[in-house]
Amino acid sequence: MGSFSQDFPFGIMDVVELLHLHIRRRQADSAYTDCPFCGDRRGKMNVNFVKNVWRCNYCGEHGGMLNLYARVNNTTNSEAYREICDALQAGDTSWGYGQAENINPGAGVPSGNLCAGSQKETGISQAERASPQEIHQTYSLLLEMLSLTSAHRAHLRSEKRGLSDEQIDSLGFKSTPPYFLCRSLTERLMKQGCKVEGVPGFYLHEGGYWTAKFGSRTAGILIPAIGIDGLIRGMQILLDVPFKDKDDPPEKAGTKYIWLSSSTKNMGVTSGSPVHFIGNPFARTIYVTEGILKADIAHVLLNRSFVAVAGANNVAQLGPLFGLLAQNGTELIIEAHDMDKYSNEMIAKGSSKIYLLARQQGMECRRLTWNPNYKGIDDWQLALRKEKQQKEGGDQNLQKGRAVFCQKGKGLSDELLNFPHRRWRFRIYQLSFDADRETIPFAFKGIQDLHRAGYEQPPASDYRLVCDSELACPEQWKDTEILEQISAHYKKQVPEGYKGRPLASSDVVELDDGTGRRYFYIDGSTFEPVRFSPFLAKK
């Protein structure tokens, strides 16, 4: 898997070309392509043409160049070798870069093939990474030189983020500088004794001076990634304008976060995607989530210790960190990835790796779930805080034009009987997850996602009955008004005695007024009529 191309008459970039993989960006020793296995089209698969290996940072699949070709074409490695040689006419050195004069054994570039984007072709040299202390010193002084614009502060204080000015300042968020200030900022850092060579984001300009890789296209909010030792290990940028590929569908969200990196520049260096830690390193319980800003917000809302990875499958650095936490006395790891871990197999796979790594260090690991109407733990906690602040008193009753929920078979009070009303029976069905099936592709998603997953109607065998109850409502109400009342009653919080989750997309509600049953698929705030077979659902 780690074979270098002196063992082969071709390199991994030749395989990339044969497979027609879309290259999104190039670096000094690798390229990022779309992944042919998970289908992600954001350039998450790293193809290292020095070591001739590949790895998708989204789905976690990895291997060598023969394995890449063989898996895509459903063949063996030996057949892959023969097919690649035939396709490239590898016996004739005129097809590529196999001439002896092009080979530099000491350069660390695969002999027999100088791939597009290699150091010899681009002239890009990578700097040796600076020490953690040097990186921290440079980043700390850089952040002191920068400010936070009023627009960025307003975003962080908005309902979406929910931070106070004091919290924003303590977390160290700053706005990225404009391009024309990069050189002068770098020179100021160097004059103060900071090392910039080997620090991600800094590079040697073709004009012979050191500068930083900031610009209008990557403008946004700088978010420090801090290690458990308190040192800044890297910085992410929350982009003002997310990156979108021209081939992406309109509904697809662009890339919102990027690392401050200079790996594509001369004497630059990659960010390395460090793990972020915030809180008490000696806490008994540690939460793990995806996203640095998400972890910071959840920390200030919950006052708990958080570890953040930059991608659900980017967990390689968690092993050493978990070892240190175990020594510090941590006993429990709480996996708190977003709720799409129930619909996305790649995220579920990353969650499973967290369990394995925790148990290897002798720690217990549990999964945290919450109201599926909120994607992340930060969204959920912000919603709870807002609900608490805006909580209204008073009982819902027919006099106010609302429904009254009652136990099935129980009578209404004499007071309510004085108002014209109808009684309805309703049932709620929710997707059932177990060890054999941890993900369902349309879980907590809308009707279009159900159809994209290959279902015309909700598969009742994947559902479980979680509620069988009744309500009383004004006589003139239609189905939509009744469903809105049920949604309002079960969506925000779980009523006493209710056995299910808060009502969310992908749930099915049955209405029965005594004349017939009707079924509705929850799609956000709308209710789509569907066919459903309740006798197939789990009891």
Side-chain angles (χ1 to χ4, degrees), residues 176-184 203 205 209 211-216:
T176 57
Y179 173 77
F180 68 85
L181 286 180
C182 291
R183 181 177 178 179
S184 60
Y203 66 97
H205 192 271
Y209 57 85
T211 186
K213 193 173 179 289
F214 292 108
S216 58

Side-chain angles (χ1 to χ4, degrees), residues 228-287:
I228 194 172
D229 54 6
L231 301 180
I232 303 176
R233 300 302 183 96
M235 287 199 281
Q236 273 194 333
I237 302 174
L238 170 57
L239 296 170
D240 291 339
V241 181
F243 290 159
K244 290 196 71 172
D245 187 78
K246 59 183 178 63
D247 298 326
D248 286 345
E251 69 275 7
K252 184 174 182 179
T255 300
K256 299 178 182 178
Y257 295 87
I258 62 170
W259 284 105
L260 176 60
S261 171
S262 51
S263 60
T264 60
K265 297 293 186 178
N266 187 41
M267 294 302 289
V269 66
T270 181
S271 64
S273 192
V275 171
H276 175 63
F277 184 90
I278 184 168
N280 177 13
F282 297 95
R284 176 187 173 275
T285 301
I286 303 289
Y287 292 72

Side-chain angles (χ1 to χ4, degrees), residues 331-383:
E331 300 174 5
L332 177 62
I333 298 295
I334 301 291
E335 176 267 296
H337 279 353
D338 289 354
M339 288 298 284
D340 50 4
K341 59 194 170 191
Y342 287 102
S343 60
N344 190 312
E345 290 187 5
M346 309 309 168
I347 296 177
K349 185 185 295 184
S351 300
S352 299
K353 292 176 182 177
I354 295 174
Y355 280 74
L356 178 62
L357 291 170
R359 287 165 182 164
Q360 286 175 348
Q361 300 298 332
M363 295 184 291
E364 185 182 356
C365 187
R366 298 177 188 169
R367 167 170 287 187
L368 181 65
T369 61
W370 50 85
N371 187 332
N373 291 290
Y374 307 103
K375 181 181 178 182
I377 186 172
D378 54 335
D379 305 320
W380 172 49
Q381 287 298 311
L382 286 169

Side-chain angles (χ1 to χ4, degrees), residues 18 65 82 258 330 353 468:
L18 286 175
M65 60 181 174
R82 284 193 288 270
I258 62 170
T330 299
K353 292 176 182 177
D468 186 352

Side-chain angles (χ1 to χ4, degrees), residues 1 36 66 92 100 123 126 191 272 289 357 370 446 455 493 499 516:
M1 185 174 69
L66 292 183
D92 180 0
Q126 290 282 276
K191 286 180 181 178
T289 191
L357 291 170
W370 50 85
Y455 299 95
Q493 57 189 357
K499 302 299 183 182

Side-chain angles (χ1 to χ4, degrees), residues 286-298:
I286 303 289
Y287 292 72
V288 179
T289 191
E290 179 188 355
I292 297 174
L293 181 57
K294 186 190 305 293
D296 286 342
I297 295 174

